[in-house]
């Protein structure tokens, strides 16, 4: 896939502070970046041709396109004679990417998934008197927290997000403590009584740890340079998921 990606290059790519990025690879997935829809279509054509030469074919049934913009914009991309389906959201590696380029809907999904876990465990685990608090807190750390915080390294922690995460956290911990909102016990007192650190502190520490990984990268590593840099030119507006490949054009 790396060889196919290199041979498919012909468009200069999207520029980040002097770095021109035309493709990104992860396992058998490829992200193609181009400065316009026209250039992206040309790049996709080259990519499809190189795949066929290597005995591979892009699965159009698994392929979709999405425009990243504040307003809805039509983007017709073709693989051969077939037009890719344009969507408003794409889920990749369990994380939802939307056409608005924001993370709020993904965070709402995580909270909803965590709530489903709590409902499933409520009677059999969370409020079951035969189980010790230690066992319940072990389940909280092993099941509930990972589901709630999956992908949190890329979250933007707005005040709304912080409040929603804290509410989801305390919804579980109050049940473990045998309390409800009517008892009017402060969240900090509940955590202290259970010996649990604030979930927001865990998230912030983890995000700082990921920032540390970036900061320690040697100069020239793409993640570090993109993090330091700034996209030049127009906004990135379109994205195409091609079976196991992506394409991002930008507004010309």
């Amino acid at each position: 896939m790396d060889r196919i990606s290199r041979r498919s290059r012909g468009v200069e790519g999207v520029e980040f502070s002097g770095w021109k990025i035309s493709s990104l690879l992860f396992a058998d997935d490829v992200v193609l970046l181009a400065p316009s829809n026209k250039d992206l279509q040309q790049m996709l054509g080259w990519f499809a041709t190189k795949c066929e030469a290597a005995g591979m074919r892009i699965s159009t049934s698994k392929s979709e396109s999405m425009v990243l913009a504040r307003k809805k914009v039509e983007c017709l991309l073709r693989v051969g004679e077939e037009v890719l389906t344009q969507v408003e959201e794409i889920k990749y590696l369990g994380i939802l990417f939307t056409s608005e380029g924001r993370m709020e809907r993904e965070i709402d999904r995580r909270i909803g998934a965590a709530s489903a876990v709590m409902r499933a465990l409520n009677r059999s685990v969370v409020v079951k008197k035969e189980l010790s608090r230690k066992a319940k807190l072990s389940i909280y750390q092993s099941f509930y927290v990972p589901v709630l915080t999956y992908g949190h390294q890329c979250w933007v922690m707005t005040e709304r997000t912080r409040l929603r995460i804290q509410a989801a956290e305390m919804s579980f911990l109050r049940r473990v403590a045998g309390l409800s909102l009517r008892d009017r016990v402060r969240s900090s007192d509940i955590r202290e009584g259970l010996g649990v650190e604030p979930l927001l502190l865990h998230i912030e520490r983890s995000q700082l740890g990921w920032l540390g990984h970036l900061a320690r990268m040697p100069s020239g590593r793409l993640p570090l340079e993109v993090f330091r840099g700034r996209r030049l030119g127009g906004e990135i507006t379109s994205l195409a998921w091609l079976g196991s490949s992506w394409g991002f054009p930008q507004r010309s």
Side-chain angles (χ1 to χ4, degrees):
M1 192 61 70
D2 182 55
R3 183 175 68 253
I4 292 174
S5 178
R6 287 197 302 269
R7 292 178 177 178
S8 300
R9 293 175 183 173
V11 179
E12 291 186 344
V14 176
E15 186 171 353
F16 285 83
S17 295
W19 285 68
K20 292 183 178 179
I21 306 171
S22 59
S23 66
L24 302 171
L25 308 179
F26 180 79
D28 61 346
D29 298 329
V30 181
V31 182
L32 303 178
L33 300 96
S36 68
N37 289 356
K38 179 180 178 181
D39 287 336
L40 177 60
Q41 180 64 72
Q42 182 182 14
M43 188 178 291
L44 294 180
W46 289 340
F47 186 78
T49 299
K50 296 300 181 182
C51 283
E52 290 177 1
M56 303 170 64
R57 184 175 62 86
I58 295 174
S59 174
T60 54
S61 63
K62 299 178 181 178
S63 304
E64 298 172 328
S65 67
M66 185 173 74
V67 176
L68 301 180
R70 295 180 180 178
K71 297 181 179 180
K72 189 172 182 178
V73 179
E74 186 178 43
C75 177
L76 295 178
L77 297 175
R78 296 178 181 273
V79 177
E81 298 299 320
E82 299 185 62
V83 179
L84 301 186
T85 302
Q86 183 174 342
V87 298
E88 297 299 316
E89 59 186 36
I90 291 176
K91 186 164 67 173
Y92 182 63
L93 297 180
I95 297 178
L96 187 71
F97 296 89
T98 67
S99 58
E100 298 91 348
R102 303 171 68 89
M103 294 300 296
E104 281 84 352
R105 290 185 62 187
E106 166 59 15
I107 295 171
D108 289 344
R109 283 183 67 249
R110 300 319 316 166
I111 293 173
S115 297
V117 169
M118 185 172 63
R119 287 193 299 270
L121 297 175
N122 188 50
R123 291 186 178 181
S124 61
V125 174
V126 181
V127 298
K128 193 172 184 179
K129 295 181 179 180
E130 290 79 5
L131 284 180
S132 65
R133 273 188 180 179
K134 183 177 180 180
K136 294 177 181 179
L137 290 176
S138 178
I139 293 171
Y140 167 77
Q141 296 289 355
S142 301
F143 292 94
Y144 188 75
V145 171
V147 170
L148 177 59
T149 62
Y150 179 78
H152 66 272
Q153 291 85 354
C154 59
W155 290 358
V156 177
M157 297 301 290
T158 64
E159 185 62 26
R160 175 183 179 274
T161 297
R162 294 172 67 89
L163 291 174
R164 296 208 65 204
I165 293 296
Q166 188 176 45
E169 169 198 20
M170 295 312 303
S171 179
F172 195 106
L173 293 181
R174 280 195 180 89
R175 286 173 168 81
V176 172
L179 300 170
S180 68
L181 289 173
R182 294 179 180 179
D183 295 305
R184 302 181 67 83
V185 180
R186 295 173 62 89
S187 297
S188 57
D189 293 336
I190 295 175
R191 293 194 201 95
E192 183 178 352
L194 295 174
V196 177
E197 74 171 11
L199 189 54
L200 290 176
L201 180 61
H202 164 74
I203 292 174
E204 291 171 0
R205 185 187 296 121
S206 181
Q207 289 182 330
L208 286 173
W210 179 242
L211 179 62
H213 286 306
L214 282 174
R216 289 188 294 272
M217 285 183 179
S219 181
R221 284 288 301 277
L222 186 58
L224 177 62
E225 298 302 329
V226 171
F227 177 75
R228 287 175 173 174
R230 182 174 62 86
R231 248 276 295 129
L232 302 179
E235 297 179 356
I236 297 176
T237 59
S238 302
L239 175 152
W241 172 266
L242 306 175
S244 59
S245 64
W246 294 69
F248 288 76
Q250 70 188 60
R251 184 174 299 158
S252 58

